[in-house]
Amino acid sequence: MAAQDKFSPVDVLSEVEEKFEMLQILNEKGEVVNEDLVPDLSDDELVELMTRMVWTRVLDERSTALNRQGRLGFFAPTAGQEASQIASHYALSEGDYVLPGYRDVPQLIWHGLPLTKAFLFSRGHYKGNQFPEGVNALSPQIIIGAQYVQTAGVALGLKKRGKENVAITYTGDGGTSQGDFYEGINFAGAYDVPAIFVIQNNNYAISTPRELQSKAKTLAQKAVAAGIPGIQVDGMDPLAVYVATKDARDRAVKGEGPTLIEALTYRYGPHTMAGDDPTRYRTSDEDSDWEKKDPLVRFRTYLEGKDLWTKEQEEEVIEKAKEEIKAAIKEADATEKQTVTGLMELMYDEMPSNLQEQYEYYKGKESK
Amino acid sequence: MAQMTMIQAITNAMATELKNDEDVLVFGEDIGVNGGVFRATEGLQEEFGEDRVFDTPLAESAIVSLGLGLTLENYRPVVEIQFFGFLFEAMDGIAGQIARHRIRSGASKKTPIVVRAPFGGGVNTPELHADSLEGLMAQTPGLKVVIPSNPIDAKGLLISAIRSEDPVIFLEHMKLYRSFREDVPEEEYEVEIGKASVKREGEDVTLIAYGAMVQEAIKAADQLAEEDIKAEVIDLRTVSPVDYETLVESVKKTNRAVVIQEAQRQAGIAANVVSELSERAILHLEAPILRVTAPDTVYPFTQAESVWLPNKDDIVERAKETLEF
């Protein structure tokens, strides 16, 4: 008998890949395609989720415009990712920790970060990173993958304290190629800690397509390497993202360990506003295909079908968002300028002698 | 008082703080039931339990980042990197994350993390075990870098490091682990981070050293004394920040200085000490400040350590050069 009759690595691979079929509840037309999995959300909750997604779309549009006017700095567009960002966050509780990547500012805002601070983060002001007490989160992580290993630690802390909370973190498709990505999910698995790892697979890491990151057919199957559950969801479907995250959270707080969630999503805008031009690597056909999958469109249709959402309601959310953004920018403008001595004070709990000496020098300069 | 080696003093410091503060956690590769590859954590898991003292998977980046994550729930991690040559795996975790954690949160978060790691040559280790990489740490704003040279300092400095709200890199020279014993107080005490110690007073030349080079400097001072040259030996103890006050005071008296490190000439911290001293004490200097360092090659193959590592003879030679300048 040939060896391949007994054991075929090729078969094993295809069997693994079959296990990670995309979970969808709402299709592109807003129709329920998986009745059994429709989450138990009240009408108010459904409306709130839609409100947050619309608000976040406005935030993206306004942030892009404000960036072009020079009134914001670093900004990574989020349009298209509302379901993966907002619906996953919607499954969390107040005491949960959020460890975002640089594109995940919306989750922080809905977790309690004042909008003014989010804008100060964009501009590069330390006050943007001073989170209010009780907002359990870190500021957006620039080093891709670092948030994953840190999340394992936060979740271990929660487990040790016996808290019924989780730590959630986000990275992109490119980020799954990092060592820290793997170390993070593997540590969380080895310690069986309450962590949720989300991959927002938007097909591109700047200009590099998802296929160039890995031959793996899904990114969710990378969970297998850590021995933890993994699931691929339609990241343009708010209900599917919510259900997957809620399920992961429920299991985590019961002590059943971490989960890896891959959300298939898309960003309509460029990678960041720092000169990236997506027309160099994406086709307009591809863009319009994904626009048909817009999470707002399908959720709007779904809610309209349930008589829970109207055009007027949406207009109201948009207006309110615009006003709040205007007020927050104004407040950010009024924030005091940073000083060198101010930065020095933030460095250490106990200032070392070299900084003490430099402090005196800059204090002198600043008082002139 | 009890006679202790440096490694026993280090274990004693961790036990002291595990007892004092239930938020202190000790973890790393093989530090639990095994008691560490050098026995630095011997008996700690047995005494304090697996919740407080525990092993990790083999991945340095995640080990230090686990520490950062744990601070969010107010733990005080004492993290071990098995050999400091493995720092490169953890460089983002330490220099890119831990060192910046306080300022990047606008001081809304603290970073009470100690990263302990053995390093240093003269004990025939394989590749990338003995490298002196303190220079990389000293160049990173946000960290404090401590290198004890004896059991008494090791205990007091480690207790201070664990109690510090700032991250401390605590580097333990392998050759010093068991090379001699000292009477170490059994009770708790702190040695202030950022303060040098004058190991021997002298008027003719200041020998500034840290780590294993302190013993070499003392031996050199003994030899110089035979020729009636009185060398003052200063142990930096903390290489970031450096205690320039103590150094300047000494140089004002001796007017000559030699800075001694085991690291390569282009590495370590000696160049920094020389430039600061020339800015602060040039008018007190009778000769250029010279350095004793290793050559600028990769850390040597084991059998070449004896010809490569700086030793007391190099120190004597350089000290005389400053005296004869």
Side-chain angles (χ1 to χ4, degrees):
Chain A
M1 196 185 280
Q4 70 224 43
D5 293 338
K6 295 181 211 158
F7 173 75
S8 164
V10 178
D11 290 347
V12 172
L13 182 64
S14 55
E15 274 169 39
V16 165
E17 285 168 350
E18 276 168 29
K19 308 277 183 197
F20 293 92
E21 236 173 84
M22 184 183 82
L23 169 77
Q24 188 183 58
I25 296 174
L26 279 185
N27 68 13
E28 289 175 30
K29 293 180 194 142
E31 297 160 349
V32 173
V33 295
N34 206 332
E35 194 68 56
D36 294 346
L37 288 179
V38 173
D40 187 20
L41 287 168
S42 69
D43 290 353
D44 285 351
E45 286 170 325
L46 289 170
V47 168
E48 174 63 17
L49 179 53
M50 182 64 181
T51 301
R52 291 183 182 194
M53 294 205 303
V54 171
W55 192 96
T56 304
R57 179 65 60 87
V58 177
L59 176 65
D60 179 79
E61 288 163 2
R62 291 302 303 141
S63 297
T64 302
L66 287 161
N67 170 282
R68 290 206 173 105
Q69 296 162 22
R71 299 190 72 194
L72 281 181
F74 173 76
F75 176 65
T78 60
Q81 299 191 191
E82 290 83 0
S84 76
Q85 294 185 323
I86 304 304
S88 62
H89 179 266
Y90 202 57
L92 304 180
S93 297
E94 207 186 329
D96 294 345
Y97 279 92
V98 179
L99 283 88
Y102 51 76
R103 203 180 299 281
D104 302 310
V105 175
Q107 295 96 305
L108 286 179
I109 293 170
W110 291 109
H111 210 54
L113 180 71
L115 186 54
T116 304
K117 285 185 179 285
F119 288 154
L120 287 171
F121 162 77
S122 164
R123 288 176 174 185
H125 194 298
Y126 76 88
K127 288 209 160 174
N129 292 3
Q130 281 176 333
F131 289 7
E133 189 73 31
V135 176
N136 287 348
L138 291 180
S139 44
Q141 178 58 249
I142 299 296
I143 301 303
I144 294 169
Q147 71 273 32
Y148 261 54
V149 270
Q150 291 168 4
T151 294
V154 177
L156 181 60
L158 289 168
K159 182 179 178 174
K160 283 185 172 294
R161 295 287 185 211
K163 292 190 177 171
E164 290 195 353
N165 283 110
V166 301
I168 191 170
T169 188
Y170 298 83
T171 193
D173 41 305
T176 62
S177 302
Q178 290 278 6
D180 276 352
F181 164 84
Y182 168 70
E183 289 185 27
I185 61 175
N186 188 58
F187 265 56
Y191 291 126
D192 225 10
V193 294
I196 303 173
F197 297 97
V198 181
I199 303 161
Q200 298 186 80
N201 174 2
N202 60 20
N203 275 320
Y204 290 94
I206 307 190
S207 64
T208 308
R210 145 73 182 90
E211 293 70 30
L212 199 58
Q213 298 296 339
S214 173
K215 197 180 174 182
K217 201 173 160 197
T218 70
L219 297 175
Q221 77 197 62
K222 289 181 181 256
V224 175
I228 66 171
I231 183 169
Q232 188 188 65
V233 300
D234 182 347
M236 306 301 260
D237 171 2
L239 295 185
V241 172
Y242 175 84
V243 164
T245 316
K246 183 75 171 39
D247 175 66
R249 190 184 185 281
D250 288 346
R251 281 185 290 103
V253 295
K254 270 194 272 172
E256 292 170 20
T259 303
L260 180 67
I261 299 171
E262 176 191 11
L264 296 174
T265 182
Y266 201 70
R267 61 172 156 79
Y268 299 139
H271 164 68
T272 67
M273 294 303 291
D276 176 45
D277 173 13
T279 63
R280 294 171 77 111
Y281 52 86
R282 282 192 329 217
T283 61
S284 57
D285 280 356
E286 193 179 2
D287 282 348
S288 58
D289 276 355
W290 279 96
E291 272 158 28
K292 284 179 206 135
K293 298 183 187 189
D294 192 324
L296 266 58
V297 172
R298 75 174 77 173
F299 203 45
R300 185 187 292 126
T301 313
Y302 174 68
L303 293 186
E304 282 170 351
K306 292 168 84 76
D307 282 332
L308 291 173
W309 195 255
T310 62
K311 213 175 170 178
E312 291 70 36
Q313 251 169 299
E314 185 151 335
E315 281 305 320
E316 217 173 286
V317 175
I318 292 168
E319 279 317 303
K320 191 159 175 277
K322 284 181 179 167
E323 275 167 37
E324 286 169 353
I325 290 162
K326 204 188 276 180
I329 278 287
K330 222 170 144 185
E331 203 183 322
D333 289 344
T335 306
E336 74 210 29
K337 286 205 169 75
Q338 297 169 102
T339 62
V340 177
T341 53
L343 296 176
M344 288 174 167
E345 284 163 4
L346 301 173
M347 282 295 296
Y348 293 88
D349 194 75
E350 213 171 310
M351 199 183 273
S353 50
N354 54 322
L355 265 193
Q356 282 173 26
E357 291 177 9
Q358 295 164 32
Y359 190 85
E360 292 311 314
Y361 171 77
Y362 282 97
K363 208 165 127 189
K365 271 182 89 161
E366 286 165 10
S367 63
K368 273 175 201 159
Chain B
M1 290 285 190
Q3 281 275 307
M4 288 186 203
T5 59
M6 190 167 92
I7 199 145
Q8 287 168 331
I10 286 165
T11 312
N12 186 283
M14 282 188 276
T16 303
E17 287 312 279
L18 280 161
K19 207 173 296 169
N20 275 337
D21 185 344
E22 59 186 27
D23 290 335
V24 171
L25 301 175
V26 174
F27 55 90
E29 295 159 5
D30 311 298
I31 64 94
V33 70
N34 190 44
V37 293
F38 289 105
R39 305 282 168 263
T41 52
E42 179 133 279
L44 295 182
Q45 187 179 71
E46 205 179 353
E47 186 176 352
F48 299 99
E50 287 177 36
D51 260 3
R52 307 282 309 284
V53 180
F54 53 92
D55 290 321
T56 63
L58 201 167
E60 287 76 16
S61 178
I63 291 170
V64 299
S65 300
L66 197 74
L68 188 137
L70 283 161
T71 63
L72 295 192
E73 277 294 320
N74 300 314
Y75 284 105
R76 307 182 74 85
V78 180
V79 180
E80 180 178 302
I81 296 183
Q82 203 160 63
F83 294 94
F84 207 50
F86 311 163
L87 163 71
F88 300 115
E89 294 285 348
M91 197 64 180
D92 177 60
I94 294 176
Q97 305 294 328
I98 288 172
R100 309 166 69 93
H101 187 55
R102 191 177 196 276
I103 187 170
R104 83 183 289 270
S105 72
S108 62
K109 293 181 172 67
K110 290 183 173 181
T111 324
I113 301 174
V114 179
V115 177
R116 285 184 44 245
F119 80 108
V123 289
N124 301 321
T125 50
E127 195 170 15
L128 268 169
H129 282 54
D131 294 57
S132 289
L133 303 172
E134 70 279 3
L136 296 172
M137 299 289 91
Q139 284 206 11
T140 305
L143 302 175
K144 293 178 180 177
V145 187
V146 172
I147 304 182
S149 71
N150 58 74
I152 296 174
D153 284 351
K155 176 173 174 180
L157 284 166
L158 185 50
I159 290 177
S160 296
I162 296 171
R163 292 178 184 178
S164 168
E165 301 293 347
D166 299 312
V168 177
I169 310 300
F170 193 88
L171 301 178
E172 304 163 5
H173 200 292
M174 284 184 272
K175 200 179 169 187
L176 300 175
Y177 266 156
R178 294 185 176 86
S179 58
F180 62 98
R181 288 172 190 273
E182 268 183 348
D183 266 331
V184 177
E186 280 174 275
E187 67 274 14
E188 57 184 87
Y189 63 92
E190 292 186 45
V191 171
E192 193 183 342
I193 292 171
K195 283 276 176 280
S197 136
V198 179
K199 301 293 285 183
R200 171 192 293 225
E201 296 201 18
E203 295 93 49
D204 299 328
V205 57
T206 301
L207 305 179
I208 300 161
Y210 59 96
M213 289 299 114
V214 174
Q215 290 303 320
E216 294 301 313
I218 290 170
K219 283 187 220 159
D222 284 342
Q223 194 173 317
L224 289 165
E226 286 169 19
E227 297 178 47
D228 212 26
I229 299 165
K230 296 183 192 71
E232 178 146 305
V233 178
I234 297 180
D235 178 358
L236 287 178
R237 300 198 288 196
T238 299
V239 299
S240 178
V242 169
D243 177 7
Y244 289 111
E245 212 175 302
T246 299
L247 299 189
V248 168
E249 206 177 306
S250 175
V251 166
K252 278 184 180 169
K253 184 172 64 174
T254 63
N255 313 117
R256 288 175 167 84
V258 178
V259 188
I260 305 137
Q261 68 182 18
E262 182 174 319
Q264 295 89 335
R265 198 171 169 86
Q266 69 186 47
I269 59 132
N272 204 22
V273 173
V274 173
S275 63
E276 291 282 346
L277 283 180
S278 51
E279 280 193 30
R280 291 161 197 258
I282 189 88
L283 294 177
H284 298 279
L285 289 168
E286 297 285 350
I289 302 167
L290 299 181
R291 285 178 284 165
V292 172
T293 70
D296 285 331
T297 70
V298 161
Y299 190 88
F301 297 98
T302 312
Q303 294 200 331
E305 273 188 330
S306 58
V307 293
W308 189 90
L309 286 168
N311 61 29
K312 80 154 174 26
D313 296 335
D314 302 311
I315 300 170
V316 168
E317 192 185 310
R318 298 301 262 172
K320 284 186 178 170
E321 245 179 89
T322 68
L323 286 154
E324 288 154 14
F325 178 75

